[in-house]
Amino acid sequence: MPSAQRHHRFLELASIPLLLLFWQVLAMLMAQRLFPTPLAVGAELIHLATAERLLPDLGQTLIRAGLGFFLAMVLGTALGLVLGRVRSLDRLFSGWLIVGLNLPAIVVAILFYIWLGLTETALISAVVVNKLPLVAATIREGVRNFAPEYDELARAMRWPLARRLRLVFIPQLMPFVLAAARTGLSLIWKIVLVFEVLGSDGGVGYRVSLFFQFFDITSILAYTTAFIAVVLAVEYGLLRPLEHKVLKWRADPA
Amino acid sequence: MARGPSLNLSIAEKRYATNAAPVLAGIDLTIAPGSVTAILGPSGIGKSTLLRMIAGLDTQFSGSIQIDGQSPIDAPPPGFVFQDPRLLPWLTVLDNIRTAGQGVDTATALSALERTGLTSAAKLYPRQLSGGMQRRASLARALAMSSGLLILDEPFVSLDRALVGEMQDLVAEIIAADQPTTLLVTHMPEDAARLADRVLILAGQPAKVVADIHLPSPVIFRDRKDITSHLRTIEGAIGFRTRPEI
């Protein structure tokens, strides 16, 4: 491994411990009740996970986020492909996309809760509607960036559609799909929590809203830490290896 | 690669758009199997368009093109070397060759790489190759297709002098060994003098064939003297006596 690469790897590995250190220093400077130390939060996290409802709450939130993410990615990708390929539809619906991108998430959630009641369907639908325009816009950009010369190569080779998709279309789209997935996932985590605070009977957001009523900062941070741990696990355990595998032909996959 | 097909071109007119002026008109040609035909002309005259029509990439024209009696779309896909190497950057060099046409087996792909001196680069990605190596990989891909028709669209453009010589020798070897019907578009008379046994010069608006020159002496045995003599013939037909670029 070249030294520059080793240096970058070291900085990456040092990032989270540095954050914990920063947290510890900050906690030592502030009142313990307002800002508990990482150790206190860690102990509370273990307690909540073993004796309370941390794990079911986390699971509930992850299922909602996962389902919302999956639906938004599938529908958004399909929409982005159509808009990127069919100019007339793009012209017709580009205004809709701008509206969708700028629609406040909280408004969408309130509307869906009013229309569909405080149900899972309302929550997940609101997540999908919030996320879908971003995915569609990213994928549309990807389709617009397709290199026409590879299309011509495919025609010169007489590649059938399936081969063309596999060799030309999907590889060009993948960087945009991954970008949409990454930005989408970070957005969805946050939206789901807000929507759970607004109207849900479980999940991380719901539980945090209960802790808020008792000003229980340690528990709020314990839930947040558990949630962040899951986000990091998805980032480092799933997204990055996938990105590395799919984009290894590039000089710098990141 | 089998000895190449014959080509019959009868192009009445080619326009880029319905209301646009024609770019090519009245091109009637028969190209013999296994011959090497260089097409010369200034930039923008329609040389690459003509190649694209022959390859079946552009079917919007009046007239007909027959490759061994078949339309370009029905004929086997030609080995096409584009102006840029046009390797798929997400595939290794070997995979770029293996995906040529309807797909070729690994042995054929490796053989094409060996002939172009790229065996050691098989596992590399295109970005890891030099410009000259990318051109050779593009040629290897065309070779692997084995259709007998080799289309070279300015294959030496933007290469340095030494690399041009190296690539020309490689193409000459391939032509001598496989005898594909080869179409070479170039704006450098030297390329034609080195590689072609027939030179077509396109000129005018719409472009027509204004000179059809047959060059003696087999491509592979051409020495400097032959090339200089052919170059004079070509330049004479073009109307320039001095510098080759037209």
Side-chain angles (χ1 to χ4, degrees), chain B residues 69-90:
Chain B
Q70 291 180 298
S71 75
I73 292 292
D74 298 325
F80 202 130
V81 177
F82 294 91
Q83 281 182 30
D84 55 311
R86 213 167 289 194
L87 301 167
L88 296 175
W90 40 86

Side-chain angles (χ1 to χ4, degrees), chain A residues 149-150 152-153 155-160 163 167-168 171-172 248-251, chain B residues 52 55 57 72-73 77 82 86 88-90 99 101-103 125 127 141 145:
Chain A
E149 58 266 27
Y150 296 134
E152 188 178 59
L153 174 73
R155 286 192 292 127
M157 298 279 187
R158 312 274 195 276
W159 285 340
R163 200 173 172 80
L167 293 174
V168 177
Q172 289 187 88
K248 69 178 174 188
W249 54 273
R250 283 178 161 187
Chain B
R52 295 181 74 255
L57 294 172
I73 292 292
F82 294 91
R86 213 167 289 194
L88 296 175
W90 40 86
T99 52
Q102 298 312 299
Y125 285 98
R127 71 174 166 83
R141 179 174 59 192
M145 290 181 67

Side-chain angles (χ1 to χ4, degrees), chain A residues 186-229:
Chain A
S186 60
L187 186 71
I188 279 180
W189 297 132
K190 293 166 194 163
I191 293 176
V192 169
L193 256 64
V194 172
F195 292 0
E196 283 177 346
V197 169
L198 202 62
S200 174
D201 58 354
V204 173
Y206 167 76
R207 202 65 60 189
V208 165
S209 73
L210 290 186
F211 293 139
F212 168 62
Q213 290 169 28
F214 300 103
F215 293 106
D216 184 351
I217 295 173
T218 310
S219 297
I220 290 175
L221 286 179
Y223 258 73
T224 309
T225 305
F227 189 69
I228 296 286

Side-chain angles (χ1 to χ4, degrees), chain B residues 37-51:
Chain B
T37 306
I39 303 166
L40 267 81
S43 295
I45 195 86
K47 304 184 297 290
S48 294
T49 302
L50 183 59
L51 286 192

